[in-house]
Amino acid sequence: MLHIRQTDDTLTRVIGSGLSTAVPLFIGLLAGNMRIGTFGALGAFAFLSFQPFSPGKLAVRILKVGLAIMAGFLAGALSTYVPWMIPITISLVSLTGFLVVRILHIPNPGAFFVIMVTAMGTGVSLDIPEMIQALSFVGIGVAASVFWAVLAVIFNNRVLNRPYRNDARSYREHLYDAVENDSELLLSSVHHAGILFLATYLAHSLGIGNFYWVAVSCAAVLQGRELKVIFHRHVQRIVGGMVGLGIGVFLFSLHFSTMETVVVLIVLNFFVEYAMVRNYGLANFFTNPLALLLSNLSSSAFAMDLVGFRFYGLVLGSIVGFAGAALISLAMDMYEKELKLAQKYHKDVQDPVADEDAEAK
């Protein structure tokens, strides 16, 4: 649970992530409108797709992820006008995200934050002008992510002597490789999307407050490719989440001012990013109080209500995610057996024909 994984991750990336979140938070604080901070923090998640590419290539990458996050937020917010479309919207975004991530071999967090922001978009109730304004706030976080990501990768290269990485393969080459070598691509992606649909539908039907946290927890657990990894993430998310909720309750009891809350959020973000690549369970000690404080920053909900909503989302989402992953694993095993039987049958049918041709010659 508390094993620290060795990594070549740099503190530069961790600091860049924290500063990306800090920009919209401080803008919101200075403007007296913390919606800028809360929505802007969603856009700042684009930074987490950071890879040590050249500055120009990294800027394009972060911008593309940021635009995907903005599109996901808009899709989620629009779906609230037709409530039965909410589970469908989240599942369609997850389907698209899983396909893109598998085809392009994008490392974790992959499409997680796009799915997460889409889910959180379904939790807002905004008219069209307010929606456009909120989307612009998300864009502030995206712009901050691009800026700090470029500075971080330049610093790593010129000061820490970290070489730039290069993926020379084109989108077409990635697609051809996926079609030829990843026979589980479509089936696995559809299963993931179906599980997220079920998780969202259950949470929405049960009337759980901040129901989108169920979908977020479910998507987080499903990030693993193997059932063993998913099981570990399931346990780490629940155990680490419980500790995190306890920390959140303690922080709420301190009754921070808005300024103090912003500072604590930035510090928590540093801890999350430092721990995430080293120990997922430990990272959940900080993600949960961060989510609680961020929700409370521009929400009128009572603090303990938020803790309860987060608890239900954490437990239900993790359970549905793991149960769904077990079904996926079973389905994949059955699929592989059927595929081997089909290949064996095809070989058995062709071999007699080949033998007859040989005898005729």
Coordinates of all heavy atoms in Angstrom, one line a residue, residues 45-117:
F45 N -5.7 20.8 -15.4 CA -5.4 19.4 -15.5 C -4.7 19.0 -16.8 O -4.1 17.9 -16.9 CB -6.7 18.5 -15.3 CG -7.3 18.5 -13.9 CD1 -8.6 18.8 -13.7 CD2 -6.4 18.2 -12.9 CE1 -9.1 18.8 -12.4 CE2 -6.9 18.2 -11.6 CZ -8.3 18.5 -11.3
A46 N -4.8 19.9 -17.8 CA -4.1 19.6 -19.1 C -2.6 19.5 -18.9 O -2.0 18.7 -19.6 CB -4.4 20.8 -20.1
F47 N -2.1 20.1 -17.9 CA -0.7 20.0 -17.6 C -0.2 18.6 -17.3 O 0.9 18.2 -17.6 CB -0.3 20.9 -16.4 CG 1.2 20.9 -16.1 CD1 2.0 22.0 -16.7 CD2 1.8 19.9 -15.4 CE1 3.4 22.0 -16.4 CE2 3.2 19.9 -15.1 CZ 4.0 21.0 -15.7
L48 N -1.1 17.8 -16.8 CA -0.8 16.4 -16.4 C -0.5 15.5 -17.5 O -0.1 14.3 -17.3 CB -1.9 15.9 -15.5 CG -2.2 16.8 -14.2 CD1 -3.2 16.1 -13.3 CD2 -0.9 17.1 -13.5
S49 N -0.7 16.0 -18.8 CA -0.3 15.2 -19.9 C 1.1 15.5 -20.3 O 1.6 15.2 -21.4 CB -1.2 15.4 -21.1 OG -1.2 16.8 -21.5
F50 N 1.9 16.2 -19.4 CA 3.3 16.6 -19.7 C 4.1 15.4 -20.0 O 4.1 14.3 -19.4 CB 3.8 17.2 -18.4 CG 5.2 17.7 -18.5 CD1 5.5 19.0 -18.8 CD2 6.3 16.8 -18.3 CE1 6.8 19.4 -18.9 CE2 7.6 17.3 -18.3 CZ 7.9 18.6 -18.7
Q51 N 4.9 15.5 -21.1 CA 5.9 14.6 -21.5 C 7.1 15.4 -22.0 O 7.0 16.5 -22.4 CB 5.4 13.7 -22.7 CG 4.3 12.7 -22.4 CD 4.8 11.6 -21.5 OE1 5.8 11.0 -21.8 NE2 4.0 11.3 -20.4
P52 N 8.3 14.8 -21.8 CA 9.5 15.6 -22.2 C 9.8 15.7 -23.7 O 10.9 15.4 -24.2 CB 10.6 14.8 -21.5 CG 10.1 13.4 -21.5 CD 8.7 13.5 -21.3
F53 N 8.8 16.3 -24.4 CA 9.0 16.6 -25.8 C 9.6 17.9 -26.0 O 9.8 18.7 -25.0 CB 7.6 16.6 -26.5 CG 6.9 15.2 -26.5 CD1 5.6 15.1 -26.3 CD2 7.6 14.0 -26.7 CE1 4.9 13.9 -26.3 CE2 7.0 12.8 -26.7 CZ 5.7 12.7 -26.5
S54 N 10.0 18.3 -27.2 CA 10.5 19.6 -27.5 C 9.4 20.6 -27.1 O 8.2 20.3 -27.1 CB 10.9 19.7 -29.0 OG 9.7 19.6 -29.8
P55 N 9.8 21.9 -26.8 CA 8.9 22.9 -26.4 C 7.7 23.1 -27.3 O 6.5 23.1 -26.9 CB 9.7 24.2 -26.3 CG 11.1 23.7 -26.0 CD 11.2 22.4 -26.7
G56 N 7.9 23.1 -28.6 CA 6.8 23.3 -29.6 C 5.9 22.2 -29.6 O 4.7 22.3 -29.6
K57 N 6.4 21.0 -29.6 CA 5.6 19.8 -29.7 C 4.8 19.6 -28.4 O 3.6 19.2 -28.4 CB 6.5 18.5 -29.9 CG 5.7 17.2 -30.2 CD 6.6 16.1 -30.6 CE 5.8 14.9 -30.9 NZ 6.6 13.7 -31.4
L58 N 5.5 19.9 -27.2 CA 4.8 19.8 -25.9 C 3.6 20.8 -25.8 O 2.6 20.5 -25.3 CB 5.8 20.0 -24.8 CG 5.2 19.9 -23.4 CD1 4.5 18.6 -23.1 CD2 6.2 20.3 -22.3
A59 N 3.9 22.0 -26.3 CA 2.8 23.1 -26.3 C 1.6 22.6 -27.1 O 0.5 22.8 -26.6 CB 3.4 24.4 -26.8
V60 N 1.8 22.0 -28.2 CA 0.7 21.5 -29.1 C 0.0 20.4 -28.4 O -1.2 20.3 -28.4 CB 1.2 21.1 -30.4 CG1 0.1 20.4 -31.2 CG2 1.8 22.2 -31.3
R61 N 0.8 19.5 -27.7 CA 0.2 18.4 -27.0 C -0.7 18.9 -25.9 O -1.9 18.4 -25.7 CB 1.3 17.5 -26.5 CG 0.8 16.3 -25.6 CD 1.9 15.6 -25.0 NE 1.5 14.5 -24.1 CZ 1.3 13.3 -24.4 NH1 1.4 12.9 -25.7 NH2 0.9 12.4 -23.6
I62 N -0.2 19.8 -25.0 CA -1.0 20.3 -23.9 C -2.2 21.0 -24.4 O -3.3 20.9 -23.8 CB -0.1 21.2 -23.0 CG1 1.1 20.5 -22.5 CG2 -0.9 21.8 -21.9 CD1 0.8 19.5 -21.4
L63 N -2.0 21.8 -25.5 CA -3.2 22.6 -26.0 C -4.3 21.6 -26.5 O -5.5 21.8 -26.3 CB -2.7 23.5 -27.2 CG -3.8 24.3 -27.8 CD1 -4.4 25.2 -26.8 CD2 -3.2 25.1 -29.0
K64 N -3.9 20.5 -27.2 CA -4.9 19.6 -27.7 C -5.6 18.9 -26.5 O -6.8 18.8 -26.6 CB -4.2 18.5 -28.5 CG -3.7 18.9 -29.9 CD -3.0 17.8 -30.6 CE -2.6 18.2 -32.0 NZ -1.9 17.1 -32.7
V65 N -4.9 18.5 -25.5 CA -5.5 18.0 -24.3 C -6.5 19.0 -23.7 O -7.6 18.7 -23.2 CB -4.5 17.5 -23.3 CG1 -5.2 17.0 -22.0 CG2 -3.7 16.3 -23.9
G66 N -6.0 20.2 -23.6 CA -6.8 21.3 -23.0 C -8.1 21.5 -23.8 O -9.2 21.7 -23.2
L67 N -8.0 21.5 -25.1 CA -9.2 21.7 -25.9 C -10.2 20.5 -25.7 O -11.4 20.7 -25.7 CB -8.8 21.8 -27.4 CG -8.1 23.1 -27.8 CD1 -7.6 23.1 -29.2 CD2 -9.0 24.4 -27.5
A68 N -9.6 19.3 -25.6 CA -10.4 18.1 -25.3 C -11.1 18.3 -24.0 O -12.3 17.9 -23.8 CB -9.6 16.9 -25.3
I69 N -10.4 18.8 -23.0 CA -11.0 19.0 -21.6 C -12.1 20.1 -21.7 O -13.2 19.9 -21.2 CB -9.9 19.5 -20.6 CG1 -9.1 18.3 -20.2 CG2 -10.6 20.1 -19.4 CD1 -7.9 18.7 -19.3
M70 N -11.9 21.1 -22.5 CA -12.9 22.1 -22.7 C -14.2 21.6 -23.4 O -15.3 21.9 -23.0 CB -12.4 23.3 -23.4 CG -11.3 24.1 -22.6 SD -10.5 25.4 -23.6 CE -11.9 26.6 -23.7
A71 N -13.9 20.8 -24.4 CA -15.0 20.2 -25.2 C -15.8 19.2 -24.3 O -17.0 19.1 -24.3 CB -14.5 19.4 -26.4
G72 N -15.1 18.4 -23.4 CA -15.7 17.5 -22.5 C -16.6 18.3 -21.5 O -17.7 17.9 -21.2
F73 N -16.0 19.4 -21.0 CA -16.8 20.2 -20.0 C -18.1 20.7 -20.7 O -19.2 20.7 -20.1 CB -16.0 21.4 -19.5 CG -16.7 22.3 -18.6 CD1 -16.9 22.0 -17.3 CD2 -17.2 23.5 -19.1 CE1 -17.6 22.8 -16.4 CE2 -18.0 24.3 -18.3 CZ -18.1 24.0 -16.9
L74 N -17.9 21.2 -21.9 CA -19.1 21.8 -22.6 C -20.2 20.7 -22.9 O -21.4 20.9 -22.7 CB -18.7 22.4 -23.9 CG -19.8 23.1 -24.7 CD1 -20.4 24.2 -24.0 CD2 -19.2 23.6 -26.1
A75 N -19.7 19.5 -23.3 CA -20.6 18.4 -23.6 C -21.3 18.0 -22.3 O -22.6 17.8 -22.3 CB -19.9 17.2 -24.1
G76 N -20.6 17.9 -21.2 CA -21.2 17.6 -19.9 C -22.2 18.6 -19.4 O -23.3 18.3 -19.0
A77 N -21.9 19.9 -19.6 CA -22.8 21.0 -19.1 C -24.0 21.0 -20.0 O -25.2 21.2 -19.5 CB -22.1 22.3 -19.2
L78 N -23.9 20.8 -21.3 CA -25.1 20.8 -22.2 C -26.0 19.6 -21.9 O -27.2 19.8 -22.1 CB -24.6 20.8 -23.7 CG -24.0 22.1 -24.2 CD1 -23.4 21.9 -25.6 CD2 -25.0 23.2 -24.2
S79 N -25.4 18.5 -21.5 CA -26.2 17.3 -21.3 C -27.2 17.5 -20.1 O -28.2 16.8 -20.0 CB -25.4 16.1 -21.0 OG -24.7 16.2 -19.8
T80 N -26.9 18.5 -19.2 CA -27.8 18.7 -18.1 C -29.2 19.2 -18.5 O -30.2 19.1 -17.8 CB -27.2 19.7 -17.1 OG1 -27.0 21.0 -17.8 CG2 -25.9 19.2 -16.6
Y81 N -29.3 19.7 -19.8 CA -30.6 20.2 -20.3 C -31.5 19.0 -20.6 O -32.7 19.2 -20.7 CB -30.4 21.1 -21.5 CG -29.9 22.5 -21.2 CD1 -28.5 22.7 -21.2 CD2 -30.7 23.5 -20.9 CE1 -28.0 24.0 -20.9 CE2 -30.2 24.8 -20.6 CZ -28.9 25.0 -20.6 OH -28.4 26.3 -20.3
V82 N -30.9 17.9 -20.9 CA -31.7 16.6 -21.1 C -31.1 15.6 -20.2 O -30.2 14.8 -20.6 CB -31.6 16.2 -22.6 CG1 -32.5 15.0 -22.9 CG2 -31.8 17.3 -23.6
P83 N -31.6 15.5 -19.0 CA -30.9 14.7 -17.9 C -30.6 13.2 -18.3 O -29.6 12.7 -17.9 CB -31.9 14.7 -16.8 CG -32.6 16.0 -16.9 CD -32.7 16.2 -18.4
W84 N -31.5 12.6 -19.2 CA -31.2 11.2 -19.5 C -30.0 11.1 -20.4 O -29.5 10.0 -20.7 CB -32.5 10.6 -20.2 CG -33.0 11.2 -21.4 CD1 -34.0 12.2 -21.4 CD2 -32.6 11.0 -22.7 NE1 -34.2 12.6 -22.7 CE2 -33.4 11.9 -23.6 CE3 -31.6 10.2 -23.3 CZ2 -33.2 11.9 -24.9 CZ3 -31.5 10.3 -24.7 CH2 -32.3 11.1 -25.5
M85 N -29.6 12.2 -21.0 CA -28.4 12.2 -21.8 C -27.1 12.2 -21.0 O -26.0 12.0 -21.6 CB -28.4 13.4 -22.7 CG -29.3 13.2 -24.0 SD -28.6 12.0 -25.1 CE -27.0 12.7 -25.6
I86 N -27.2 12.4 -19.7 CA -25.9 12.5 -18.9 C -25.1 11.3 -18.9 O -23.9 11.3 -19.3 CB -26.3 13.0 -17.5 CG1 -26.8 14.4 -17.5 CG2 -25.0 12.8 -16.5 CD1 -27.2 14.9 -16.1
P87 N -25.7 10.1 -18.6 CA -24.9 8.8 -18.7 C -24.4 8.6 -20.1 O -23.2 8.1 -20.3 CB -25.8 7.7 -18.2 CG -26.9 8.5 -17.5 CD -27.1 9.8 -18.1
I88 N -25.2 8.9 -21.1 CA -24.8 8.6 -22.5 C -23.6 9.5 -22.9 O -22.6 9.1 -23.5 CB -26.0 8.9 -23.4 CG1 -27.1 7.8 -23.1 CG2 -25.5 8.8 -24.9 CD1 -28.4 8.1 -23.9
T89 N -23.7 10.8 -22.5 CA -22.6 11.7 -22.8 C -21.3 11.3 -22.2 O -20.2 11.2 -22.8 CB -22.9 13.1 -22.3 OG1 -24.1 13.6 -22.9 CG2 -21.8 14.1 -22.5
I90 N -21.3 10.9 -20.9 CA -20.1 10.5 -20.2 C -19.5 9.2 -20.9 O -18.3 9.1 -21.1 CB -20.3 10.2 -18.7 CG1 -20.6 11.6 -18.0 CG2 -19.1 9.6 -18.0 CD1 -21.0 11.5 -16.6
S91 N -20.4 8.3 -21.2 CA -19.9 7.0 -21.8 C -19.4 7.2 -23.2 O -18.4 6.6 -23.6 CB -21.0 6.0 -21.9 OG -22.1 6.4 -22.6
L92 N -20.0 8.2 -24.0 CA -19.5 8.4 -25.4 C -18.1 9.1 -25.3 O -17.2 8.8 -26.1 CB -20.5 9.3 -26.1 CG -21.7 8.6 -26.6 CD1 -22.7 9.7 -27.3 CD2 -21.4 7.5 -27.6
V93 N -17.9 10.1 -24.4 CA -16.6 10.7 -24.2 C -15.6 9.7 -23.8 O -14.5 9.7 -24.3 CB -16.7 11.8 -23.2 CG1 -15.3 12.4 -22.8 CG2 -17.6 13.0 -23.7
S94 N -16.0 8.8 -22.8 CA -15.0 7.8 -22.4 C -14.7 6.8 -23.5 O -13.5 6.4 -23.7 CB -15.6 7.0 -21.2 OG -16.7 6.2 -21.6
L95 N -15.6 6.4 -24.4 CA -15.4 5.6 -25.5 C -14.4 6.2 -26.4 O -13.4 5.6 -26.8 CB -16.7 5.3 -26.2 CG -16.5 4.5 -27.5 CD1 -16.0 3.1 -27.3 CD2 -17.9 4.3 -28.2
T96 N -14.6 7.5 -26.8 CA -13.7 8.2 -27.7 C -12.3 8.3 -27.0 O -11.3 8.1 -27.7 CB -14.2 9.6 -28.0 OG1 -15.5 9.5 -28.5 CG2 -13.3 10.3 -29.0
G97 N -12.3 8.6 -25.7 CA -11.0 8.8 -25.0 C -10.2 7.5 -25.0 O -9.0 7.5 -25.2
F98 N -10.9 6.4 -24.6 CA -10.2 5.1 -24.5 C -9.6 4.7 -25.9 O -8.5 4.2 -26.0 CB -11.1 4.0 -24.0 CG -11.3 4.0 -22.5 CD1 -12.5 4.2 -21.9 CD2 -10.2 3.9 -21.6 CE1 -12.7 4.2 -20.5 CE2 -10.3 4.0 -20.3 CZ -11.6 4.1 -19.7
L99 N -10.4 4.9 -26.9 CA -9.9 4.6 -28.3 C -8.7 5.4 -28.7 O -7.7 4.8 -29.2 CB -11.0 4.8 -29.3 CG -12.2 3.8 -29.4 CD1 -13.3 4.2 -30.3 CD2 -11.6 2.4 -29.8
V100 N -8.7 6.7 -28.4 CA -7.6 7.5 -28.8 C -6.3 7.2 -28.0 O -5.2 7.1 -28.5 CB -8.0 9.0 -28.6 CG1 -6.7 9.9 -28.7 CG2 -9.0 9.5 -29.6
V101 N -6.5 6.9 -26.7 CA -5.4 6.6 -25.8 C -4.8 5.3 -26.3 O -3.5 5.1 -26.3 CB -5.8 6.5 -24.4 CG1 -4.8 5.8 -23.5 CG2 -6.1 7.9 -23.9
R102 N -5.6 4.2 -26.6 CA -5.1 2.9 -27.0 C -4.4 3.0 -28.3 O -3.3 2.4 -28.5 CB -6.2 1.9 -27.0 CG -6.7 1.4 -25.7 CD -5.7 0.4 -25.0 NE -5.8 -0.9 -25.6 CZ -6.5 -1.9 -25.2 NH1 -7.3 -1.7 -24.2 NH2 -6.5 -3.0 -25.8
I103 N -5.0 3.8 -29.2 CA -4.4 3.8 -30.6 C -3.1 4.6 -30.6 O -2.1 4.1 -31.2 CB -5.4 4.5 -31.6 CG1 -6.6 3.6 -31.8 CG2 -4.7 4.9 -32.9 CD1 -7.7 4.3 -32.6
L104 N -3.0 5.7 -29.8 CA -1.8 6.5 -29.8 C -0.8 6.1 -28.7 O 0.3 6.8 -28.6 CB -2.2 8.0 -29.7 CG -3.1 8.6 -30.8 CD1 -3.3 10.1 -30.5 CD2 -2.4 8.4 -32.2
H105 N -1.1 5.1 -27.9 CA -0.3 4.6 -26.9 C 0.1 5.8 -25.9 O 1.2 6.0 -25.5 CB 1.0 4.0 -27.4 CG 0.8 2.8 -28.3 ND1 0.4 1.6 -27.8 CD2 0.9 2.7 -29.7 CE1 0.2 0.8 -28.8 NE2 0.5 1.4 -30.0
I106 N -0.9 6.5 -25.5 CA -0.7 7.7 -24.6 C -0.6 7.1 -23.2 O -1.5 6.4 -22.8 CB -1.9 8.7 -24.7 CG1 -1.9 9.3 -26.1 CG2 -1.7 9.8 -23.7 CD1 -3.1 10.2 -26.4
P107 N 0.4 7.5 -22.5 CA 0.6 6.9 -21.1 C -0.4 7.6 -20.1 O -1.1 8.6 -20.5 CB 2.0 7.3 -20.7 CG 2.3 8.6 -21.5 CD 1.5 8.4 -22.8
N108 N -0.6 7.0 -18.9 CA -1.4 7.5 -17.9 C -1.0 9.0 -17.6 O 0.2 9.3 -17.6 CB -1.4 6.7 -16.6 CG -2.2 5.4 -16.8 OD1 -3.1 5.4 -17.6 ND2 -1.9 4.5 -15.9
P109 N -2.0 9.9 -17.3 CA -3.4 9.6 -17.0 C -4.3 9.4 -18.3 O -5.5 9.3 -18.1 CB -3.8 10.9 -16.3 CG -2.9 11.9 -16.9 CD -1.6 11.3 -17.1
G110 N -3.7 9.4 -19.5 CA -4.5 9.1 -20.6 C -5.7 10.1 -20.8 O -5.5 11.3 -20.7
A111 N -6.9 9.5 -21.0 CA -8.1 10.3 -21.1 C -8.8 10.5 -19.8 O -9.9 11.1 -19.8 CB -9.0 9.6 -22.1
F112 N -8.2 10.2 -18.7 CA -8.9 10.2 -17.4 C -9.4 11.6 -17.1 O -10.6 11.8 -16.7 CB -8.0 9.8 -16.3 CG -8.6 10.0 -14.9 CD1 -9.7 9.3 -14.5 CD2 -8.1 11.0 -14.1 CE1 -10.2 9.5 -13.2 CE2 -8.6 11.2 -12.8 CZ -9.7 10.5 -12.4
F113 N -8.6 12.7 -17.3 CA -9.0 14.0 -16.9 C -10.0 14.6 -17.8 O -10.8 15.4 -17.4 CB -7.8 14.9 -16.7 CG -7.0 14.6 -15.5 CD1 -5.8 13.9 -15.6 CD2 -7.5 14.9 -14.2 CE1 -5.0 13.6 -14.5 CE2 -6.7 14.6 -13.1 CZ -5.5 14.0 -13.2
V114 N -10.0 14.2 -19.1 CA -11.1 14.6 -20.0 C -12.4 14.0 -19.5 O -13.4 14.7 -19.5 CB -10.8 14.1 -21.4 CG1 -11.9 14.5 -22.4 CG2 -9.5 14.7 -21.9
I115 N -12.4 12.7 -19.2 CA -13.6 12.1 -18.7 C -14.0 12.7 -17.3 O -15.2 12.9 -17.1 CB -13.4 10.5 -18.5 CG1 -13.0 9.9 -19.8 CG2 -14.6 9.9 -17.8 CD1 -12.5 8.5 -19.7
M116 N -13.1 13.0 -16.5 CA -13.4 13.6 -15.2 C -14.0 14.9 -15.3 O -15.1 15.2 -14.7 CB -12.1 13.7 -14.3 CG -12.4 14.1 -12.9 SD -10.9 14.6 -12.0 CE -10.7 16.3 -12.7
V117 N -13.5 15.8 -16.2 CA -14.0 17.1 -16.3 C -15.4 17.0 -17.0 O -16.3 17.8 -16.7 CB -13.1 18.0 -17.1 CG1 -13.7 19.4 -17.5 CG2 -11.8 18.2 -16.3

